[in-house]
Amino acid sequence: MGFREHAARVRRILGIVLAVLLLGGVAAVLVTGGDKDTGTATKTVRGVIGSEKAEFFADPQVVKALAAKGFTVGTETSGSWDMEERPLDGYDFVFPSSKGPADELRAKAQAASKDRALPAPLRPFYSPLVVVAHSAAAQILAGNGLATLGPRGTSGTLKMDAYLAAARADRTWQQLKGSAGHTELSGTLFITSTDPVASSSGALYLAAASYVADGGRVAGDKAAVTRTAPLLRKLVQVQGAQQSGSDAPFRDFVSGVGNPLVLVYESQVASQLLAGRPMGDLVVLYPDTTVNSDHTLVPLTENGRALGELLSTDPELRRLAVRHGFRPQGAASEFTAATDGHTAYLNQTLTGVRQAPVPTSKVLHEMALRARDQGDTA
């Protein structure tokens, strides 16, 4: 065999060996998952969440803390009541903003699972509903007996009875003393809320308004809904088009566009404060009768249940939930300690705030439909 033939044969052998080594390397990447710095995550779970929790799950520190416990979490956002319309196949959990839609989602999932019993829902954290106002609007409300303000003027209380009376009378900003010169305050006085048919916060707003308007009675049937339906219709229809999630209205408010009064979760305000973001002329008004939104995780699989328990009990994840403004269930001191420097805006102990009972999900849904003129008017 000549030199050229021998060299060609050696090159062919080396080529085969190299190919085998390359294939082995690819196989090794596939088996190990490639980059060794991906953490210890071994379970990939998918879920649908309310938009107000999107920043929490996207936080790199939350991602890292979950990975350290063996989880990679993928999420999609939806209005809490809109979640009912989604097929649940392929998801490990759904995480609406309150118990009502969570009950409906669990019933739907249980019916689809046939004989397999689903794990119980978990409520890792909660947040009361508040109204954010621009400073001029808050001052005018206070000057007309619709609100009271603290000494710094950055927080206070919205008087629900007085506000609902103004809504019944279709009062405008121009009719309120002190509004002259505030061209940004014009038209009918109202609070922007989310679509109550699609979103939990909008429906809970109606629950609180109904409770106050009906003399402190929680709506228990269609007759009770009928008593307050005209007022609830006014509260909703004066707004025109509504968003299906609470994140967009809050972002609009912070950026200086939209209505001067917006219903949001306290967690959205607390998150801004704890992140050190500028608050501008934002004022937090706690309705004297409000509703706590219990963020309720509905497990659809065992991995979903394990995630819910982790969010409820893991100290690092609880700390991060507080950093995003949520109040951990059964641990008021954790929220109080973290927000100690922000009492000019936050009512840490909810002093002077009454919690309205929430109707059953069936009654709440009927209330929302009637407010939108989509329900039974008989």
Side-chain angles (χ1 to χ4, degrees):
M1 180 183 298
F3 175 78
R4 290 184 179 179
E5 290 84 353
H6 178 74
R9 184 178 180 188
V10 169
R11 284 196 299 271
R12 284 196 299 272
I13 292 171
L14 288 173
I16 292 169
V17 171
L18 181 60
V20 169
L21 289 172
L22 287 171
L23 286 171
V26 170
V29 170
L30 290 173
V31 169
T32 63
D35 187 351
K36 293 183 180 180
D37 294 330
T38 55
T40 60
T42 57
K43 303 181 187 73
T44 298
V45 296
R46 294 180 63 228
V48 184
I49 63 172
S51 63
E52 72 291 329
K53 292 184 283 287
E55 283 194 4
F56 171 75
F57 280 103
D59 184 337
Q61 290 193 41
V62 173
V63 173
K64 182 179 178 181
L66 287 168
K69 296 295 182 178
F71 285 87
T72 296
V73 180
T75 61
E76 301 169 27
T77 59
S78 170
S80 292
W81 287 106
D82 272 351
M83 292 180 190
E84 268 190 77
E85 306 303 318
R86 301 175 70 110
L88 299 180
D89 293 343
Y91 294 109
D92 297 283
F93 69 96
V94 282
F95 203 172
S97 305
S98 64
K99 184 177 181 296
D103 288 344
E104 295 295 315
L105 286 160
R106 187 165 191 265
K108 175 183 176 181
Q110 186 63 71
S113 67
K114 298 179 181 178
D115 296 331
R116 181 176 66 90
L118 292 178
L122 299 106
R123 292 190 285 276
F125 39 72
Y126 67 97
S127 186
L129 289 170
V130 300
V131 174
V132 289
H134 293 299
S135 181
Q139 294 286 346
I140 291 169
L141 291 178
N144 286 269
L146 278 72
T148 59
L149 294 178
R152 297 191 187 180
T154 51
S155 68
T157 302
L158 178 71
K159 298 181 178 180
M160 284 292 285
D161 268 324
Y163 167 69
L164 295 177
R168 284 192 192 92
D170 298 316
R171 292 185 75 180
T172 65
W173 284 102
Q174 293 93 325
Q175 291 172 332
L176 301 181
K177 65 181 181 182
S179 63
H182 291 283
T183 56
E184 77 279 12
L185 301 176
S186 62
T188 305
L189 170 69
F190 68 90
I191 295 170
T192 292
S193 62
T194 54
D195 181 352
V197 175
S199 169
S200 178
S201 60
L204 293 178
Y205 172 48
L206 298 185
S210 170
Y211 181 78
V212 173
D214 206 20
R217 288 182 289 181
V218 60
D221 52 28
K222 282 192 175 184
V225 173
T226 298
R227 286 197 295 271
T228 60
L231 172 61
L232 302 187
R233 196 172 298 119
K234 279 193 172 188
L235 297 179
V236 168
Q237 296 188 359
V238 69
Q239 300 182 46
Q242 294 175 288
Q243 300 274 5
S244 62
S246 61
D247 188 52
F250 182 65
R251 289 182 183 277
D252 286 346
F253 178 89
V254 170
S255 65
V257 299
N259 193 43
L261 302 174
V262 181
L263 184 83
V264 301
Y265 295 107
E266 179 198 55
S267 59
Q268 293 170 289
V269 177
S271 178
Q272 288 269 117
L273 290 164
L274 291 167
R277 296 172 191 154
M279 302 304 286
D281 69 344
L282 182 147
V283 178
V284 187
L285 298 176
Y286 286 78
D288 57 14
T289 301
T290 190
V291 175
N292 277 347
S293 179
D294 289 321
H295 295 272
T296 305
L297 188 147
V298 180
L300 305 176
T301 66
E302 281 302 312
N303 281 345
R305 177 199 58 77
L307 173 66
E309 291 185 349
L310 194 61
L311 292 174
S312 301
T313 60
D314 182 74
E316 176 63 5
L317 286 166
R318 287 168 68 91
R319 182 188 72 80
L320 291 169
V322 170
R323 197 180 77 171
H324 283 271
F326 299 108
R327 295 175 180 246
Q329 291 284 2
S333 61
E334 294 179 26
F335 180 84
T336 302
T339 60
D340 191 52
H342 303 292
T343 54
Y345 289 93
L346 302 176
N347 183 347
Q348 292 178 305
T349 58
L350 300 178
T351 302
V353 176
R354 178 173 55 168
Q355 296 297 319
V358 179
T360 65
S361 57
K362 181 179 179 180
V363 171
L364 193 59
H365 201 54
E366 173 69 13
M367 194 179 286
L369 289 171
R370 293 286 294 276
R372 287 280 304 273
D373 260 345
Q374 297 175 356
D376 180 10
T377 58

